[in-house]
Amino acid sequence: VTDAPGPSTHWARWHLDYDDPSSALSQRLAVVVGRTGEALDALAPGAVRLISVCAGQGRDVVALLAGHPRRADVSGRLVEADPFNADVARRALDSAGLHRLEVVCGDASVTDAYADVAPAHLLLLCGIFGNVSDEDVRMTVMRAPMLCTAGAFVVWTRHRRSPDLTPRIRAWFDEAGFDEASFDSTGPEGFAVGVHRYLGPSVPLEPGQRLFTFLH
Ligand SMILES: C[S@@+](CC[C@H](N)C(=O)[O-])C[C@H]1O[C@@H](n2cnc3c(N)ncnc32)[C@H](O)[C@@H]1O
């Protein structure tokens, strides 16, 4: 009998903290799921498109939709580069009966990944802003309107270690046409989860536009 391959890559092992309910990552997940659920509640009735950028194992999407009354409204795409994580996400969605969400194993950092799914009503940018340059965070925020319907919610995360970038991230969202719906944080050394609602004009998706480059 051969065991299934375990998490061997850095980004697969990163998810192991989710298995410890007392970890900061599990606490962050609870906030992300709670706030994304509120966003889903606030969206107009009808179809909801979701995009998760650098979706990892899709823990947030699965936890959100497993028990949400609007789960049947939601379709969309999770984009994740690590094949192990993408496979875990695909299986988890399948087990939860979430057959209208697809997992694409590929590069989430260029707008082409969203060509036939944007604009979304729910855009998850979780676990990205702590892994790219400040300039790339700014560029991703400025280009986020291309991925958003009018009234879309963006859920994002970032650690707050010094120098805390979250005040600038919040200002960039403001500049890009978003209103802040919520900002939760466990404090200056902890994590932050922000939710912003897009109130600007619709912006067509331009192919070939880079959003960010992971630093490691
Ligand atoms: C910090 S984890 C966050 C995962 C998930 N969003 C979460 O919050 O649980 C970052 C993820 O981004 C993925 N990733 C890194 N660069 C990527 C790229 N260019 N395209 C798609 N995924 C990427 C990694 O494989 C990793 O799973």
Side-chain angles (χ1 to χ4, degrees):
V1 179
T2 331
D3 285 330
S8 60
T9 59
H10 169 73
W11 287 122
R13 286 196 309 274
W14 179 88
H15 287 72
L16 292 173
D17 273 2
Y18 278 127
D19 298 334
D20 171 3
S22 68
S23 69
L25 194 58
S26 292
Q27 289 168 34
R28 192 189 85 174
L29 178 67
V31 177
V32 167
V33 169
R35 290 300 190 186
T36 312
E38 288 172 11
L40 182 51
D41 290 335
L43 286 168
V48 171
R49 271 187 316 280
L50 176 151
I51 291 175
S52 178
V53 180
C54 296
Q57 297 178 356
R59 304 264 186 150
D60 39 20
V61 176
V62 172
L64 165 71
L65 294 179
H68 198 282
R70 292 196 62 185
R71 56 179 271 147
D73 292 339
V74 182
S75 63
R77 179 175 299 168
L78 288 72
V79 186
E80 165 59 32
D82 183 290
F84 181 89
N85 288 343
D87 194 48
V88 171
R90 210 173 275 125
R91 287 161 191 259
L93 289 169
D94 197 45
S95 302
L98 297 164
H99 303 300
R100 299 176 64 222
L101 285 151
E102 62 171 351
V103 178
V104 170
C105 184
D107 185 8
S109 69
V110 182
T111 50
D112 305 56
Y114 313 102
D116 46 354
V117 67
H121 304 86
L122 277 180
L123 175 64
L124 301 190
L125 299 175
C126 298
I128 298 171
F129 292 168
N131 296 300
V132 304
S133 70
D134 294 1
E135 174 52 24
D136 278 7
V137 175
R138 194 191 68 80
M139 189 160 63
T140 302
V141 171
M142 290 303 162
R143 291 183 167 168
M146 285 196 272
L147 303 178
C148 289
T149 60
F153 288 95
V154 179
V155 181
W156 58 272
T157 65
R158 160 81 191 200
H159 67 76
R160 295 191 60 203
R161 290 190 293 276
S162 183
D164 180 8
L165 193 68
T166 60
R168 291 175 71 202
I169 297 173
R170 297 163 82 182
W172 289 329
F173 271 110
D174 184 56
E175 208 182 310
F178 292 82
D179 245 20
E180 188 165 276
S182 61
F183 180 79
D184 296 287
S185 172
T186 45
E189 291 303 309
F191 62 79
V193 177
V195 181
H196 280 81
R197 189 162 208 186
Y198 186 55
L199 300 178
S202 82
V203 178
L205 187 82
E206 233 186 287
Q209 299 299 299
R210 174 156 289 281
L211 301 169
F212 52 78
T213 302
F214 263 51
L215 296 170
H216 18 250

